[in-house]
Amino acid sequence: MKSGLYILLLSVCALSCKQKEQPAQKEEGNYFSIIDYAKDQWEMNIGQPYGIDKITFNNGQPDTLHTNAEKVDWAAIFKIFAETDISHPKYLDKYSFSDFADTANNVMNFNYDAKDPKLFTQKLYLTANPRNGRISSVYIETLKNNSWGSRTQRLFYIPITSIVIQEFEARATGDKKDIRVEYRFL
């Protein structure tokens, strides 16, 4: 019995030593995928009977609709968030990445800041629980400039609490548009 345990222990040691000697495989890296995260959130929460308040602010004027999760246009919301995805390898080295612990709030922060002001997604900030790695909030800023003006978005998501989609549009003619849509889970 002791010899069988000894052989098993030697085998484990030999295998672990062998793994350390192998060169690290070079994989093509990527940044955080908002698309994968949205799919994961969808799969975890599909079918849940959430009541939702949809509050639309158009140039500061609120309009509230009481609804439920079955009646929300999730495809439109996912599309807005999916357009900000930076996980494709073509975005490698286009963002500055930093992470830091916020001990006062007991969270980890992961920040992606665009190096080029022409990139659509300018900021992607994630906050996560350091114990289990679960994301507790997502904040995204986008920017699109053209000859007619600029459009900025601010997207914010707290799982099963709220989704905020805010768009600012400044046109060359001087017209401005400010729309904010909040989905508050009840």
Side-chain angles (χ1 to χ4, degrees):
M1 181 73 172
K2 280 187 177 183
S3 63
L5 183 59
Y6 181 70
I7 291 172
L8 179 65
L9 192 56
L10 280 177
S11 299
V12 169
C13 288
L15 286 174
S16 64
C17 292
K18 195 173 192 178
Q19 286 178 339
K20 288 180 184 176
E21 292 176 35
Q22 294 176 350
Q25 291 183 352
K26 292 183 181 180
E27 292 182 23
E28 210 167 303
N30 61 358
Y31 295 130
F32 180 80
S33 173
I34 200 74
I35 293 172
D36 290 346
Y37 179 67
K39 285 179 185 176
D40 183 55
Q41 288 294 295
W42 175 259
E43 289 172 10
M44 284 180 19
N45 296 296
I46 191 170
Q48 295 299 317
Y50 297 119
I52 295 177
D53 279 347
K54 178 183 178 184
I55 307 161
T56 304
F57 297 86
N58 193 348
N59 292 325
Q61 299 298 315
D63 182 27
T64 303
L65 171 68
H66 302 286
T67 188
N68 62 53
E70 291 179 358
K71 296 182 181 175
V72 171
D73 186 0
W74 293 112
I77 295 169
F78 289 153
K79 182 179 183 302
I80 291 168
F81 277 84
E83 289 172 347
T84 69
D85 191 71
I86 62 171
S87 66
H88 192 280
K90 71 180 180 182
Y91 292 113
L92 283 178
D93 202 37
K94 305 254 186 207
Y95 289 86
S96 298
F97 174 76
S98 61
D99 62 334
F100 60 94
D102 179 350
T103 54
N105 294 311
N106 195 30
V107 295
M108 280 296 299
N109 295 290
F110 304 95
N111 297 345
Y112 299 87
D113 290 292
K115 294 178 182 179
D116 182 351
K118 293 179 183 175
L119 287 169
F120 179 66
T121 301
Q122 287 293 301
K123 297 179 182 186
L124 170 60
Y125 295 167
L126 308 168
T127 304
N129 181 321
R131 288 189 206 106
N132 59 22
R134 288 192 182 136
I135 294 175
S136 52
S137 72
V138 175
Y139 174 78
I140 304 167
E141 278 187 24
T142 68
L143 176 62
K144 188 170 190 172
N145 289 313
N146 59 35
S147 58
W148 297 291
S150 66
R151 185 174 137 231
T152 305
Q153 290 179 316
R154 292 184 184 144
L155 311 174
F156 187 62
Y157 174 63
I158 299 175
I160 314 307
T161 303
S162 67
I163 299 170
V164 179
I165 301 168
Q166 190 167 15
E167 293 184 11
F168 303 98
E169 206 170 282
R171 298 186 183 131
T173 60
D175 295 334
K176 293 183 179 181
K177 186 166 111 177
D178 179 0
I179 297 175
R180 183 175 80 231
V181 180
E182 295 182 18
Y183 297 89
R184 296 179 186 167
F185 292 74
L186 304 175

